[in-house]
Amino acid sequence: MAVRVPSMELNRSPPLLSGGRGKTCLQKPFIVQAKRSGGLEKANTRPQGPQASEKLKKREPLTRGTVSAPLPVPGHIPRPPYVGSNKMPEISSERQMQDKETIVHMKAACELAARVLENAGKLVKPSVTTDEIDKAVHKMIIDAGAYPSPLGYGGFPKSVCTSVNECMCHGIPDSRELKDGDIINIDVTVYLNGFHGDTSKTFFCGEVDEASKRLVKVTEECMLRGIAACKHGVSFKKIGRRISEHAEKHGFGVVEQFVGHGVGRVFHSQPIIYHQRNNMPGQMVEGQTFTIEPILTMGSSSIECDMWEDGWTAVTTDGSLAAQFEHTILITRTGAEILTKC
């Protein structure tokens, strides 16, 4: 589940720090303040890419369905500290480090999240509602004795995020039926034995056009290239450079407003992981756990987003498709271990 930051390319008003429900992507929850940095100009020179000439299946704009009541969680299941308050938690300054004992719990949470995500993906087919997916995910998580981390986070009303077509992320499950040709990102986070495991994947619904398939394929490749850049002592900014290079090569835009984050006992913490070119300081340290979760869009001009009135659903301003993949990783001396690999 991504953290939101202001655009690093545009000069805009500062965001609301908690509970904001604005109409643009820059005034909303999940906020950390990012400073404008140099070395980013190249990101605005992306070619349109071959997808501009590929035939896209016609889609109606995404509309909100009816959102059902939050699902109950048995009383014996431990809750994260933020549950019970609609206030948006602050981004923790703690850089979460794992030792031999805590990594066992961290791996268990991540493995559960990965299994739930794969099973949720099997439900994706035309006529299925995202609310049905939410119910299935909720049951899988609580049956495992875990808590669905999104539920109650800053007032989020559901147990999973389901982001369809032009929705970049944080889509709220509702009564809308999936349609043939849709793409949908399912973002699962579980809280098990005091640790969060966070992962997401974009799935195809029915017969999907080639341009959409290519967007999804390149997005996953970008995430994996970002992960491949990681190991002890490497600068965090290398992640954004690797992702941007691959996205630009294929003519896709990298969304700047949503970033990866530290994860462990705390849902969202430092370090903040930027997926675009940046000059942010900091180096990876063995034992750190964090997410890499790039969002790509069709073309370089479609990385801006609008916020729905629910304060969560972020959609591309121009209606272009968006895709996202996410893994939680552990930094090692020689590389990075993917903890949410099923």
Side-chain angles (χ1 to χ4, degrees):
M1 197 175 190
V3 174
R4 305 172 186 171
V5 298
S7 169
M8 296 180 67
E9 288 293 313
L10 300 177
N11 229 350
R12 302 212 180 177
S13 302
L16 300 179
L17 293 179
S18 63
R21 292 295 182 268
K23 294 184 179 179
T24 73
C25 260
L26 302 182
Q27 294 188 19
K28 56 189 179 299
F30 284 162
I31 295 301
V32 293
Q33 184 68 45
K35 295 180 180 178
R36 182 183 176 90
S37 62
L40 303 172
E41 290 76 9
K42 187 176 178 182
N44 279 334
T45 63
R46 307 179 188 94
Q48 287 300 313
Q51 83 276 1
S53 60
E54 291 174 350
K55 188 174 181 180
L56 287 165
K57 183 176 287 189
K58 283 191 175 182
R59 296 179 178 84
E60 296 177 358
L62 189 65
T63 57
R64 186 180 183 183
T66 301
V67 178
S68 61
L71 296 169
V73 177
H76 69 275
I77 293 178
R79 272 77 165 154
Y82 52 78
V83 173
S85 170
N86 286 332
K87 183 179 179 182
M88 186 59 56
E90 297 290 333
I91 305 302
S92 173
S93 60
E94 174 189 358
R95 292 178 180 261
Q96 301 186 73
M97 306 292 296
Q98 311 304 330
D99 56 27
K100 288 184 179 180
E101 180 180 348
T102 61
I103 196 57
V104 172
H105 297 299
M106 191 70 193
K107 286 183 175 181
C110 288
E111 288 168 4
L112 174 60
R115 291 198 306 271
V116 170
L117 178 62
E118 287 304 306
N119 285 319
K122 296 174 184 177
L123 303 174
V124 174
K125 60 184 67 175
S127 81
V128 171
T129 68
T130 51
D131 192 57
E132 290 176 288
I133 294 174
D134 177 74
K135 289 176 181 176
V137 166
H138 182 88
K139 186 176 188 305
M140 285 187 275
I141 293 173
I142 64 172
D143 283 354
Y147 184 92
S149 303
L151 184 62
Y153 184 89
F156 192 81
K158 291 302 201 176
S159 300
V160 67
C161 297
T162 52
S163 303
V164 179
N165 294 339
E166 67 266 35
C167 182
M168 291 179 171
C169 59
H170 302 159
I172 299 175
D174 60 23
S175 63
R176 179 192 180 275
E177 293 184 353
L178 293 175
K179 299 177 182 179
D180 186 64
D182 283 348
I183 62 173
I184 175 175
N185 176 270
I186 301 177
D187 191 335
V188 172
T189 313
V190 307
Y191 183 69
L192 178 66
N193 297 323
F195 289 81
H196 297 273
D198 193 359
T199 185
S200 85
K201 182 177 180 178
T202 298
F203 297 91
F204 301 134
C205 182
E207 294 297 321
V208 175
D209 59 58
E210 290 304 314
S212 301
K213 288 180 180 178
R214 202 168 67 84
L215 170 67
V216 172
K217 178 177 181 290
V218 173
T219 304
E220 183 174 22
E221 290 171 352
C222 282
M223 175 194 66
L224 293 174
R225 283 171 181 255
I227 293 172
C230 297
K231 69 176 180 180
H232 176 81
V234 170
S235 297
F236 286 110
K237 63 185 178 183
K238 190 172 183 180
I239 297 171
R241 185 168 72 248
R242 287 282 182 88
I243 290 171
S244 294
E245 287 171 351
H246 194 59
E248 291 161 14
K249 176 182 175 182
H250 292 275
F252 295 123
V254 180
V255 173
E256 298 171 3
Q257 294 95 330
F258 299 94
V259 296
H261 53 88
V263 64
R265 290 186 184 274
V266 179
F267 195 172
H268 294 116
S269 76
Q270 294 288 341
I272 298 302
I273 307 300
Y274 295 95
H275 302 115
Q276 78 283 7
R277 284 187 175 82
N278 67 89
N279 286 329
M280 295 300 178
Q283 293 182 329
M284 304 170 206
V285 178
E286 183 180 9
Q288 281 184 328
T289 47
F290 55 83
T291 69
I292 296 179
E293 45 186 305
I295 303 171
L296 268 60
T297 62
M298 292 280 194
S300 61
S301 61
S302 57
I303 62 172
E304 296 305 312
C305 67
D306 293 330
M307 184 64 55
W308 282 9
E309 291 296 326
D310 60 29
W312 291 98
T313 308
V315 297
T316 56
T317 299
D318 63 1
S320 298
L321 290 187
Q324 182 182 30
F325 282 81
E326 174 185 13
H327 273 313
T328 296
I329 66 171
L330 167 70
I331 297 301
T332 69
R333 184 63 57 174
T334 58
E337 181 180 354
I338 299 175
L339 301 183
T340 44
K341 198 170 185 177
C342 189

